[in-house]
Amino acid sequence: MFRCSLLLLMLATTGCAPVSAPAASPEPRAATFSPVAETVPALDDAAAVAQARRFFDAVDGRNREVFVGLVSEGFFLFEAGAAVTADMLSKNWKPPVAGAPRRTRTCEHGTVRRSASIVTYVGDCLEQQPAMGKRSAQQWQGWNTVVMAHEDGAWKVVLWEWQKSGIEAERDRYNEAYRRKSAYVAQPNRLLVDTVGEVEPGAALVVAMGQGRNALHLAARGWRVTGIDIADEGLRMAKRSAEERGLKLDMVLADIDRYDFGTARWDLVTMIYAGGDEDWIRRIKKSIVPGGLFILEFGLKDPTDDSTDPFAGIAAGELAPQFDGWQIVRDEVVQDIADWGKSTTPLVRFVARKPGG
Ligand SMILES: C[S@@+](CC[C@H](N)C(=O)[O-])C[C@H]1O[C@@H](n2cnc3c(N)ncnc32)[C@H](O)[C@@H]1O
């Protein structure tokens, strides 16, 4: 799933853009494009997706003959900073033995963009390679870009490019943000500080902990803190800060989508700049003890944005209905400086207490 569009916007203003690819070393052969002739069949969206599919099947099936027929003379794959030509890519291919498990690629979120003589397909693909001999099975998830140009009366693939997507791309993006240190404020979140001021410390879970600014504040106030995040660089920074300050933090390097929050386990769970994923919230609610607290702060969703990405922002009034029966301590939209992005923007601040206790 593509995540964090709001956060990307926030990061963009602070120089935390995705890592840029290094320049290509070998000079690729220029593809030759001829103007679209009347006789050329238009490559509509469905045909473009089908052409990209044929291309992937030829690559994954190691079918050199089909592959060569589909690509332009000037084709190259841009990977790891180098241009790999059709010949370099396919010259050692051995077709898979009939009946043996073969490499597969399933793609979703396909997008097609076009100009007069160029059609570009981008899809989020999961590439799976079965175990072969001594090599164990592997898989990669990434955005596959296939550029097709009209050439000599047919549509040919002129460029293929791959970059990580999903959770691995998310991890890279945040690791880079933590290394740069410029995208966020280093102080603990104000809503958290104010809310826990008078609360008796207990067990706290800091969801998407990052470099630990909020977890460390809680630990310093006597909370037993567990923090979870996928960004190993963030966790490393949190560990270092905890050691310097003589504080204890339990840290979990994991994808929250797969994390077991438990049942009636936490006196406090925070989601500070951690999106508004309904499934996370549903599981978190179950994990909070009666009388325990849930605290969230995140950017307000742009009402014109129809994205379902939980990191695209939270709509006004979206959270309270998910906390039916809970005491809503705070539910407001304020114009304030965001901890991430550090610019003035509308923010959702939400605090709820579980009944009982
Ligand atoms: C904007 S940062 C906020 C960090 C911290 N809560 C703070 O306020 O400083 C979002 C964090 O969510 C983490 N994250 C995003 N998706 C995640 C996932 N599926 N599982 C675990 N962590 C995730 C990122 O690695 C990043 O550290």
Side-chain angles (χ1 to χ4, degrees), residues 3 7 167 170 174 178 208-210 213-214 229-231 254-256 272-273 280 311 340:
R3 311 192 86 153
L7 284 169
I167 199 75
E170 191 86 334
Y174 281 106
Y178 294 124
M209 176 183 76
R213 64 193 182 103
N214 298 317
D229 206 292
I230 36 142
D255 178 356
I256 295 161
I272 306 290
Y273 293 84
W280 292 9
F311 273 69
W340 276 76

Side-chain angles (χ1 to χ4, degrees), residues 268-344:
L268 167 68
V269 177
T270 70
M271 271 180 75
I272 306 290
Y273 293 84
D277 191 304
E278 280 192 31
D279 180 57
W280 292 9
I281 291 175
R282 188 183 51 74
R283 292 187 288 129
I284 285 169
K285 278 168 52 194
K286 194 169 128 226
S287 77
I288 295 177
V289 300
L293 277 176
F294 173 76
I295 305 176
L296 178 149
E297 180 170 310
F298 198 54
L300 180 71
K301 188 171 183 180
D302 176 348
T304 63
D305 182 350
D306 58 5
S307 154
T308 54
D309 177 355
F311 273 69
I314 295 177
E318 176 184 323
L319 293 171
Q322 297 176 54
F323 286 81
D324 191 26
W326 288 50
Q327 180 197 357
I328 308 297
V329 181
R330 209 159 157 176
D331 185 8
E332 59 196 27
V333 175
V334 293
Q335 191 75 13
D336 207 343
I337 299 173
D339 290 0
W340 276 76
K342 300 193 281 193
S343 61
T344 302

Side-chain angles (χ1 to χ4, degrees), residues 216-227:
L216 292 162
H217 174 78
L218 290 170
R221 295 192 60 84
W223 290 80
R224 298 183 307 281
V225 184
T226 300

Side-chain angles (χ1 to χ4, degrees), residues 5 11 41 56 70 80 119-120 122 159 164 191 232 250 302 339 341:
S5 42
L11 295 174
F56 293 144
L70 287 170
V119 175
T120 302
V122 183
L159 175 73
K164 279 183 201 169
L191 173 68
D232 43 302
D250 285 334
D302 176 348
D339 290 0

